[in-house]
């Protein structure tokens, strides 16, 4: 087996390959454009795993980036993947060898760190562990849309169905938002959400993007992204960004006002989109994830865990793997970043 690595590809050809072997939006060309627009000094890595006779066995979308500080940039190269590499027929042996080859590539190209993420990725835990990665567990929640609408409704918790009915009674309406309005409302409501989290003592999650250059625009201007709003009396109180690629819907971003929670608008929004995407032929609906310890009642994310699970979704355990490839360099560079300011 061998790797074929490119910084630039024909988008249509690449996405066709990804769909052929069961990849997700996180392996796609549009995701590469989105990440490059989000993070400066980042170069995409379109990587295919080939057999010795050139047969396509797997693919991965990685990213290399460097520190913004020129003095230390050449020593800060890191390689990361937002999702586990995908292989034909979920071949565990091929995945193990793929990860080994990626590890070797990262080391030989001078990277100090290698990170393998787990968005829409439910495999690879044992393979990463064998290679010495430090694992961080997280959970994702997914609905299988081959079930009938009646069955999807039946599988939801009684309280969730009750909240959907409440939202309808209170006049909540769900609608796709035009690109400009959608980006504005999503970021406005994300800022409101971030403010509430900050007031509770949580981290500052305020979106730090300029409207005209907002990377979200790349997703919603493509065929793969859609911003949906929930409104009351003409005011958008909840907004969500969904991606749709290769039959998988992924709930990527959302923001809500206090009024949204009072009227259960986010719950109705999700239910209406589950029904719509099912009718459009999607196969899976991923509600996103949370930390693995959210299963514990004392976790600050326990409410997120309960909420998503109550949709009748399957709870998957995912793992993110991190490996420091040059430990001494890593420590020195982190000290330098602290001095220069990250």
């Amino acid at each position: 087996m061998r790797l074929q690595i490119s910084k630039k590809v024909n988008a249509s050809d690449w996405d066709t390959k990804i769909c052929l072997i069961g990849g997700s939006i996180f392996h796609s060309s549009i995701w590469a454009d989105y990440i490059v627009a989000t993070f400066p000094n980042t170069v995409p890595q379109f990587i295919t795993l080939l057999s010795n006779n050139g047969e396509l066995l797997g693919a991965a979308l990685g990213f290399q980036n460097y520190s913004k500080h020129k003095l230390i940039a050449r020593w800060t190269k890191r390689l990361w993947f937002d999702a586990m590499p995908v292989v034909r027929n979920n071949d565990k042996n091929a995945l193990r060898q793929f990860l080994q080859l990626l590890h070797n590539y990262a080391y030989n190209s001078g990277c100090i760190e290698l990170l393998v993420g787990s968005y829409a990725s439910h495999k690879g835990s044992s393979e990463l562990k064998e290679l010495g990665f430090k694992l961080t567990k997280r959970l994702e929640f997914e609905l299988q849309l081959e079930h009938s609408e009646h069955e999807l409704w039946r599988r939801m918790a009684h309280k969730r169905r009750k909240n959907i009915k409440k939202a309808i009674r209170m006049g909540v309406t769900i609608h796709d938002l035009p690109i400009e309005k959608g980006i504005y409302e999503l970021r406005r409501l994300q800022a409101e959400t971030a403010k509430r989290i900050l007031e509770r003592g949580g981290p500052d999650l305020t979106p730090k993007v300029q409207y005209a250059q907002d990377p979200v625009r790349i997703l919603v201007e493509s065929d793969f992204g859609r911003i949906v709003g929930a409104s009351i009396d003409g005011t958008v109180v909840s907004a969500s960004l969904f991606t749709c690629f290769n039959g998988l819907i992924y709930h990527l971003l959302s923001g809500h006002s206090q009024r949204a929670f009072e009227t259960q608008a986010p719950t109705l929004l999700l239910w209406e989109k589950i029904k719509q995407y099912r009718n459009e032929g999607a196969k899976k609906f991923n509600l996103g994830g949370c930390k693995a310890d959210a299963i514990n009642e004392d976790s600050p994310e326990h409410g997120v865990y309960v909420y998503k699970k109550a949709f009748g979704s399957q709870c998957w355990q995912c793992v993110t793997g991190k490996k420091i490839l040059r430990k001494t360099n890593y420590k020195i560079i982190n000290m330098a970043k602290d001095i220069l300011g990250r």
Side-chain angles (χ1 to χ4, degrees):
M1 295 182 184
R2 58 188 174 87
L3 299 183
Q4 185 176 77
I5 303 170
S6 302
K7 297 178 181 179
K8 193 173 183 179
V9 295
N10 178 285
S12 178
D13 290 346
W14 175 261
D15 291 341
T16 298
K17 288 180 183 178
I18 293 301
C19 290
L20 180 66
I21 56 178
S24 71
I25 187 72
F26 304 106
H27 302 102
S28 71
S29 62
I30 199 69
W31 189 254
D33 294 341
Y34 171 71
I35 292 298
V36 169
T38 302
F39 300 104
N41 307 317
T42 298
V43 179
Q45 307 280 293
F46 298 93
I47 305 173
T48 50
L49 177 69
L50 303 175
S51 68
N52 293 332
N53 60 7
E55 180 187 7
L56 176 66
L57 300 177
L61 175 62
F63 301 94
Q64 280 189 355
N65 72 352
Y66 311 79
S67 169
K68 62 182 179 181
H69 300 290
K70 293 182 180 179
L71 289 175
I72 62 173
R74 62 178 293 184
W75 295 288
T76 61
K77 185 189 296 185
R78 60 191 290 267
L79 177 64
W80 89 86
F81 300 82
D82 285 327
M84 185 72 59
V86 61
V87 294
R88 278 183 179 273
N89 304 319
N90 293 316
D91 186 330
K92 289 179 68 67
N93 182 57
L95 179 59
R96 183 179 296 105
Q97 293 189 58
F98 200 171
L99 289 168
Q100 180 67 69
L101 289 171
L102 291 174
H103 175 278
N104 296 346
Y105 166 67
Y107 185 84
N108 293 334
S109 61
C111 293
I112 64 169
E113 179 184 5
L114 175 60
L115 180 73
V116 181
S118 56
Y119 289 133
S121 303
H122 311 147
K123 302 181 184 301
S125 175
S126 60
E127 290 80 5
L128 288 173
K129 187 176 182 180
E130 285 179 20
L131 289 171
F133 281 76
K134 180 181 179 181
L135 305 184
T136 301
K137 296 179 181 179
R138 53 185 293 272
L139 304 174
E140 282 194 348
F141 303 83
E142 195 168 272
L143 291 165
Q144 304 299 315
L145 298 184
E146 74 269 14
H147 298 303
S148 68
E149 182 179 319
H150 172 77
E151 180 65 13
L152 290 169
W153 177 260
R154 188 191 68 80
R155 289 178 176 223
M156 274 195 288
H158 172 72
K159 183 178 179 180
R160 198 64 58 238
R161 298 197 299 265
K162 185 178 177 181
N163 289 342
I164 290 171
K165 293 176 181 178
K166 176 183 177 179
I168 294 171
R169 286 198 312 271
M170 296 192 73
V172 177
T173 59
I174 310 301
H175 44 97
D176 289 359
L177 295 173
I179 291 175
E180 301 302 326
K181 183 175 177 61
I183 295 173
Y184 171 78
E185 295 290 2
L186 176 64
R187 294 308 194 184
R188 176 182 69 82
L189 291 165
Q190 279 189 301
E192 285 195 36
T193 302
K195 183 180 179 181
R196 289 195 301 273
I197 293 172
L198 194 61
E199 288 173 348
R200 294 198 300 264
D204 185 359
L205 301 178
T206 306
K208 296 175 176 62
V209 293
Q210 296 183 357
Y211 176 74
Q213 288 81 39
D214 196 320
V216 163
R217 186 180 299 275
I218 292 171
L219 296 176
V220 296
E221 286 182 347
S222 73
D223 293 331
F224 306 122
R226 177 187 292 175
I227 298 178
V228 182
S231 297
I232 301 175
D233 298 328
T235 299
V236 178
V237 297
S238 182
S240 290
L241 170 63
F242 300 94
T243 60
C244 177
F245 184 90
N246 202 21
L248 172 67
I249 310 304
Y250 201 95
H251 188 200
L252 193 64
L253 298 172
S254 63
H256 317 283
S257 70
Q258 186 59 42
R259 181 66 171 153
F261 296 114
E262 294 168 358
T263 59
Q264 297 299 324
T267 304
L268 179 61
L269 190 157
L270 283 172
W271 173 239
E272 290 298 325
K273 289 301 108 179
I274 288 168
K275 292 191 297 180
Q276 180 180 347
Y277 278 118
R278 177 190 173 278
N279 291 336
E280 291 175 356
K283 304 301 181 185
K284 300 177 183 179
F285 192 103
N286 192 307
L287 295 159
C290 62
K291 294 179 180 178
D293 65 3
I295 195 171
N296 302 318
E297 292 186 3
D298 60 350
S299 167
E301 287 194 357
H302 183 66
V304 176
Y305 168 81
V306 172
Y307 181 81
K308 293 183 177 183
K309 197 169 190 306
F311 274 89
S313 57
Q314 184 171 4
C315 181
W316 292 99
Q317 181 171 286
C318 310
V319 294
T320 294
K322 179 179 178 180
K323 188 169 185 180
I324 307 304
L325 303 178
R326 290 173 168 80
K327 294 182 179 180
T328 301
N329 289 13
Y330 184 80
K331 291 179 181 178
I332 294 172
I333 290 303
N334 278 335
M335 292 173 59
K337 284 181 179 180
D338 288 338
I339 295 171
L340 295 170
R342 292 172 184 265

